[in-house]
Amino acid sequence: MKTNSNSQNNSKVFLFFLLSILLIWRNPLSSQERFRKSPPYPEPLPELELPNIESGFLSNGLGISVIHKDNLPVISLRLVILSGESSSPEKLPGMATFVANMLSRGALNLSSSEIEEMIEFIGGNFSSAVFPDYSLFTFTFLEEYLDEALEILGKMILQPSFNRREIENVQRSMFYDLVRKNTDSEFIAKRVLFKLLFKGHSYRKSIYSEDIIKNFNQKSLFAFFDNYYRPNNARIILTGNLNLSTASRKVSRYLNTWKRKNLEVSLPSLPEPNQRLKICFVNLPKTEDTTIYMGNIVPPLTNPDFFPFVVLNQVLGGTPTSHLFMNLRESKGYAYYAFSEVEFFRICGVFYIKAKVRPEVTYASIKESLAEVEKITKEEIPSFEIEQAKSYLIGNFPLRIETFENISLKVSEIKAFNLGEEHWSKYYENIMLISPKKVFEIAQKYPLLTPVVVIVGDQNIIIDHLRDFKEVEVYNKKGILLYYIKRGEE
Amino acid sequence: MCNMKQCIMSKRNFLLFTLLLLFLPASFAEAQQEKELPFPITQYKLKNGLQIIISEDYSLPIVSVVVAYNVGSINEQPGKTGLAYLLRNLMFQGSENIGRMQHISFIHRTGGELNAATTQDKTIFSQTVPSNQLALVLWLESDRMRSLDIDDNNVIRAKDDLIEEIHQRKATDPYLESYLYFDQLLFPDFAYSHPVIGTEADVRDITVEDVKSFYSSYYIPNNAVLCITGNINKRKTKSLIQKYFETIPEGKKPPPPDLAKSSERTAKVETFRDSLASAPGFYLGYRIAPPYTVDFYPLAIIEYILLRGESSRLYKRLVKKERIAFQMSGEIEKKEDLAALKIFVINNNEVMMERSQKAIFSEINKLKSSFISEEELIRSKNMFKMDYIKQYATTVDKAIFLVETHLAKNSLDFLGDEINKYLAVTPSDIIGIANRYFTQERILLNIRIK
C-alpha cells in the first residue's frame, strides 16, 4: 500500500508538473504577466541641454539673437517690435494690428503680390501677430535663401508704401474676420472678460470691434510706424544652422540704414484686480451650449510668484487630468471641457477658467469651479499632486521648444519681456523648488475667488437658469453693458 | 548676394550649365542629389509580423512612439459604418492591465502629449514623452494591442459619444453634406464613399460582437507598424520592444478591402442643395495617378502651381485679381492606391460661380498648352520642398511620416531619393501630365443654398 501510495503521490506530482509545463507552453504570456500588470519604473530624468543663444546689437540699436539648430535645412526668423496694441492711439485701438497686417502689403516699387511671390519663391511663409506689449513677425524659409529673405524684410521695413488700395484690402479682411468671430462663443467670452478686466487700462486697446476698422488711414499708419518701427525698439531672432557673426553681417547688410529714434517708452500702470464676484451674460442666439470664461488679474512673468502660479494652474486646470476637468466633466458630467490658463503680459497676467457646459447646469458649473478654486485656498494641495504637476511641466517643456518656430517664439517672449535667459535656462530648477506650502501661499495671496464671470449662450435657452444668480449684468457682443437681471425681478 | 530674379538662370546660362553637366564625371552629377534621408532609420520585423522602425534623434530628451494599424473605414462592411472610428475611441477605454482613460492620464503625468487619427485606410496612435518614459508607452501600447477591454458598457458609451459627434458635425460643419456627396461621385464604390465617422443609423446597430470581431481581425501585430523616434539607445529600445510586443500572438491575415470600381474615371456634373451652405459654390475633382508612381511627381508640383500659396495661379486669378471667388482651396487627396485633385470654391452668387469655373478651366488649358516659366517652377518646387521637409520637423511628425510611407509602400528603402523625383520635374513633364489627367473626365458638383 505504501508503495502504492508513494506511486500515486509520485503520479500526482508528475501530473501537476506536466500540467504546469503544458499551461506555460500553451500560454506564452503567462510567464510575462508580472511585468504587464503594473507600469514600468522610469529611468532617471534625462538632462535637457538648451541650445545656446548668442545675442548682440547692430550700431543702430537693432538687437540680434541666434539660436543654433541644424536638424532641418530651414531658417525661422522672428522680428519683434517692442510695441503692441497698448501703444495704439486712444481713439484708434487696433492700430498696431493694422500696421502689422500692412507690412507685407507693398513697399516702394513692389506690390503686395510681388512681395508675396518673392516670399513664396524662397519656400517662405510670413505672418504677424500683435499682443498688448509687442508685435511679432514670423518668417520661415529654406536656409539657402537667407540673403533673399533679409532683402525682402529690408524692403518691407525701410520702404513701406501703405498704399490706399491695400489699406482698403486690409480693412475689408480685418472687418470680415471680426464679423466672422462674432459667432464664436469662446472669442466673445474672452473678449468681454478681458475688456472688463482691463477697464480704463491701456491693455484694453487690444480689444476692439469691427466698427473701428474704417477709421484707419495712410497718415495715421505712417505716424504709428514712424514712432515705433525703429531698430532700437526691435529685435531679430534667427533659428537655424548659422552663427551670430554671419547673422549680424547679413542683417547689417540689409538693415543698417534703418534709422534709430529716441522713444518715450513708459510702462503701463498695474491694473486693479476685480474685487467682488461679477456675473455677466452675453446673448448669442442659436448656440446649444453655454461657454463660461471667468478670470482675474494675477502677477506677471517677471514676478517670483510666476513659477508657483504655473504649478497651481496645472493642478487646477492645466490638462484633462486636472481638478476642473475631472470634476466638471468626468465626475459631474456637466461640461464638454473645463480648463484653466494663465496669459502673461509685461506688467501682469490674467488667470482664467474656461468651460463649455450644458445650459441647465450653468449655475452649478460656476459654483463647482469656484468650489475647486476655494478648496486650494483653504487647504494645501497634497504633495503627490504637486509633484505630478511639476513632473508634467518639466516633462512637457522640451516638447514646447521642439520646432524652430516654437523655440524662436520662446526667445521672442524673453526679449519682449526683457526676462533674461535664466528664465528658461533655470526653468527646471525653479519648478523643482516649488512646494505645496508655496502654492498654498500663492492661492491665498491673489484674488482668485472674486473673478469676473462671463457666460455666453442663447438667452431663450438659458434665461431661467440665469435667475439662479443674485445679479447678472447683460452685455452685448462688443462688451457694452445693456441691463441687469436681478433675482426675483422680471 | 544675388537678386531673386538674377538667381533664376537666364536661358543662355542654363544651356551652358547643361553642357557643363554633360562633360562632368557621372559621379559629380549624382553627388548633387541627396540619396539618403537626413536622419537614420533601422527597420526590422518581429516574429509575429509587427513591423518596427527606429530613428534616433538626440537634439532633445524626448521620444515619440507611433503605432499604426492598416485599417480604416475602407475595411467596413455596408451597414457597419463608423466601426473603425468607434474602435479607435475604444482604444482609450482600457485593456487588461490599464483602466478606462488611464492611457491618457499616464501620458499626461509625464508631461507627454498624445493623439489618434482614423482615416479611410489607416488608424494611427501617437505619443511624445520625455525619453526616460519610453518603456511606459510601450507597456501601454502593447497592452491595448493584446487585450482591449470590449464590453457592453464601453461600447454603449463609445457609441453614444460617436453619435453625439455625428450630430455636432452635421449641425456645425457647413458644406459637409455636399462634400460627402462629392466624395461619393468621385469614388463611387462603397469603401471610399461612406463617411469615416459613420452614419447614425449604422453606429446604433453596431454590436459588441461586431467590435470584437473587427478588433481581432485588424488590431493584430502583423497588421501594424511601430515607429520610435527620438533620444533613445537603440540596443535598449530593441530589447524593450521585444519584451512588450514579441509575445503578442500573430493574427490571421486580414482580408483586403473591396475596391473594385475605384479605378474608374468618369465625367459627371450635378447639383446639390446643402442645408448649411451660406453661399453658392462648387467642388471640382479629377482622379489622378496614385502616389509613388511616375506620373504622381509632376501632379504634385501641379498642385503647387495651381493651388498652393497666394501666388498660385488659381488663387491669384479667382480671389485676388478677378475677385470672383470668396474663398478657394484645393489639394491632392491621397488614399491607399488612389488619388484625386480636389478644388473647392465659394462664390457670392451663381454668376460668379460660373465665371470661376470658366477661369479654372482656362487656367488648366494654359497649363496643358504653354511651358511654365523657370521662375514659377522654382517657386512651386521650393514651396513643395518646404512642406516636404516639415513632414519630419518634430519627432512625432517624423514617426507619422515614416509609418504612413511604410503602410502605403510596405518599404522605406526608396525614401532617400524620393524628394529628388519631385524636384526633377520639368516643364515638359507638366504639359504631358496635365494633358493626360485634366480631361473632360471630371466631377463637378454645383452647390446651391437650400
Side-chain angles (χ1 to χ4, degrees), chain A residues 29 32-33 35-36 43-44 117 120-121 123 141 144-145 147 151 169 254 321 391-392 395-396 402, chain B residues 1 97 105 108-109 111 113 132 139 142 146 243-244 247 309-311 316 323 379 382 385-386 395:
Chain A
L29 291 183
Q32 296 184 346
E33 282 304 305
F35 73 76
R36 293 201 184 274
E43 293 187 353
E117 277 174 28
E120 292 187 350
F121 184 88
F141 46 88
E144 60 266 36
Y145 292 107
D147 277 300
E151 186 186 11
N169 285 340
Y254 299 99
T321 48
S391 160
Y392 174 88
N396 191 249
E402 198 185 357
Chain B
M1 170 312 192
N97 299 297
S105 60
H108 275 145
R109 275 180 210 157
E113 287 169 1
N132 62 330
W139 174 70
S142 61
R146 60 184 276 281
K243 177 179 169 182
Y244 286 104
T247 54
E310 293 200 2
S311 50
K316 209 157 70 176
R323 293 187 179 178
R379 179 200 75 86
N382 279 343
K385 188 178 169 185
M386 178 61 104
T395 55

Side-chain angles (χ1 to χ4, degrees), chain B residues 287-297 299 332-340 422 437:
Chain B
R287 291 283 297 275
I288 57 169
Y292 312 111
T293 56
V294 177
D295 285 359
F296 186 77
Y297 302 106
L299 285 161
I332 288 181
E333 189 178 280
K334 294 179 265 183
K335 297 173 190 289
E336 195 160 69
D337 53 356
L338 305 166
Y422 294 97
Y437 289 95

Side-chain angles (χ1 to χ4, degrees), chain A residues 257-473:
Chain A
T257 55
W258 193 5
K259 286 199 176 67
R260 67 186 300 151
K261 184 182 177 182
N262 289 333
L263 298 158
E264 284 178 24
V265 179
S266 56
L267 275 180
S269 58
L270 191 67
E272 276 296 310
N274 192 55
Q275 298 296 348
R276 66 170 187 91
L277 181 66
K278 184 200 280 247
I279 309 289
C280 311
F281 172 70
V282 182
N283 180 27
L284 186 64
K286 293 181 185 169
T287 42
E288 286 184 12
D289 315 311
T290 301
T291 301
I292 300 166
Y293 269 62
M294 48 200 285
N296 212 340
I297 305 289
V298 294
L301 275 164
T302 44
N303 191 300
D305 290 346
F306 165 77
F307 290 99
F309 209 94
V310 167
V311 175
L312 177 150
N313 174 59
Q314 187 56 34
V315 174
L316 189 69
T319 67
T321 48
S322 304
H323 289 188
L324 287 168
F325 195 93
M326 290 308 284
N327 183 354
L328 269 72
R329 187 188 152 98
E330 293 298 304
S331 169
K332 303 279 188 322
Y334 292 164
Y336 301 105
Y337 64 79
F339 294 109
S340 64
E341 278 181 31
V342 203
E343 216 161 285
F344 290 103
F345 308 100
R346 192 174 290 163
I347 51 141
C348 69
V350 170
F351 169 75
Y352 59 92
I353 292 170
K354 57 178 190 180
K356 189 164 267 194
V357 303
R358 289 184 283 118
E360 64 273 24
V361 291
T362 303
Y363 179 79
S365 300
I366 292 169
K367 209 175 141 193
E368 279 301 321
S369 301
L370 287 171
E372 287 294 346
V373 176
E374 192 174 12
K375 213 190 296 175
I376 59 171
T377 62
K378 289 276 187 317
E379 56 192 70
E380 274 188 22
I381 298 166
S383 68
F384 80 91
E385 278 199 64
I386 295 288
E387 291 310 312
Q388 268 182 9
K390 283 157 61 175
S391 160
Y392 174 88
L393 291 166
I394 287 171
N396 191 249
F397 185 70
L399 273 71
R400 286 188 284 128
I401 54 166
E402 198 185 357
T403 63
F404 281 41
E405 285 87 357
N406 285 353
I407 198 166
S408 60
L409 178 66
K410 195 82 201 154
V411 177
S412 304
E413 208 176 60
I414 288 169
K415 297 292 168 192
F417 293 147
N418 205 15
L419 292 173
E421 283 168 24
E422 300 78 37
H423 184 79
W424 83 324
S425 61
K426 292 198 172 162
Y427 183 85
Y428 272 25
E429 274 172 74
N430 287 324
I431 292 288
M432 290 296 269
L433 288 171
I434 306 302
S435 64
K437 192 174 166 229
K438 189 70 203 166
V439 175
F440 187 50
E441 280 170 23
I442 295 303
Q444 291 175 314
K445 187 172 171 183
Y446 294 98
L448 307 181
L449 280 166
T450 54
V452 171
V453 180
V454 179
I455 303 161
V456 178
D458 186 335
Q459 188 166 331
N460 292 329
I461 302 173
I462 202 175
I463 188 75
D464 289 338
H465 308 295
L466 291 177
R467 297 188 199 288
D468 294 332
F469 298 101
K470 194 175 167 193
E471 181 183 274
V472 178
E473 296 178 4

